[in-house]
Amino acid sequence: LMEVGHLSDSELRRTMRSVDVVVVPSLYEGFGLPVAEALAEGTSVACSNCTSLPEVAGPCGELFAPRDPVSAASAIIRCLHKDAKFGQDARDQRVAQANQFTWRKHLESLFVGYERVVNK
């Protein structure tokens, strides 16, 4: 278990790569940036099954009920087993999942939404 304070971007990336699993037990989350950051480094993610986190984690994350410690522990164990079984393939899939969430794609979808509203 590791808890850290403020990290620079490079320290954050290095830390994300150095851990076995990033656990995000959030009850209220905007986008889910910690999940995307962990996946971008190829790191396993166990996260809450609520808010935006299931969408961000996609098929690469192991979900759990955030108020259920047994559910969380099971998700962490699934992450460890998946890494042991699939290794680099699992890491590559996580990076691909994170690559779906770019600022460019976000802005393009925002533009499409605004365009639909304006052209009605």
Side-chain angles (χ1 to χ4, degrees), residues 11 16 19 41-42 44 57 97 103 111:
E11 290 170 325
M16 291 284 190
V19 299
E41 298 303 327
S44 290
Q97 175 69 17
W103 282 112
F111 179 77

Side-chain angles (χ1 to χ4, degrees), residues 99-113:
N99 286 338
Q100 293 183 49
F101 301 100
T102 65
W103 282 112
R104 180 175 186 85
K105 289 179 183 180
H106 169 70
L107 293 174
E108 287 171 351
S109 66
L110 202 59
F111 179 77
V112 168

Side-chain angles (χ1 to χ4, degrees), residues 4-113:
V4 296
H6 177 76
L7 299 173
S8 69
D9 288 346
S10 62
E11 290 170 325
L12 177 63
R13 286 191 302 276
R14 188 171 44 255
T15 300
M16 291 284 190
R17 285 190 302 266
S18 72
V19 299
D20 294 322
V21 181
V22 170
V23 181
V24 184
S26 183
L27 295 172
Y28 307 102
E29 191 70 42
F31 168 70
L33 192 55
V35 171
E37 289 171 326
L39 293 174
E41 298 303 327
T43 303
S44 290
V45 172
C47 63
S48 300
N49 61 0
C50 56
T51 69
S52 62
L53 299 181
E55 180 183 355
V56 176
C60 298
E62 294 297 335
L63 306 178
F64 62 87
R67 296 184 192 274
D68 181 354
V70 172
S71 176
S74 295
I76 293 167
I77 291 168
R78 289 192 306 272
C79 285
L80 296 172
H81 285 156
K82 190 182 288 186
D83 273 356
K85 184 173 182 179
F86 298 108
Q88 189 61 43
D89 287 341
R91 295 182 74 78
D92 292 344
Q93 289 174 353
R94 290 189 286 265
V95 171
Q97 175 69 17
N99 286 338
Q100 293 183 49
F101 301 100
T102 65
W103 282 112
R104 180 175 186 85
K105 289 179 183 180
H106 169 70
L107 293 174
E108 287 171 351
S109 66
L110 202 59
F111 179 77
V112 168

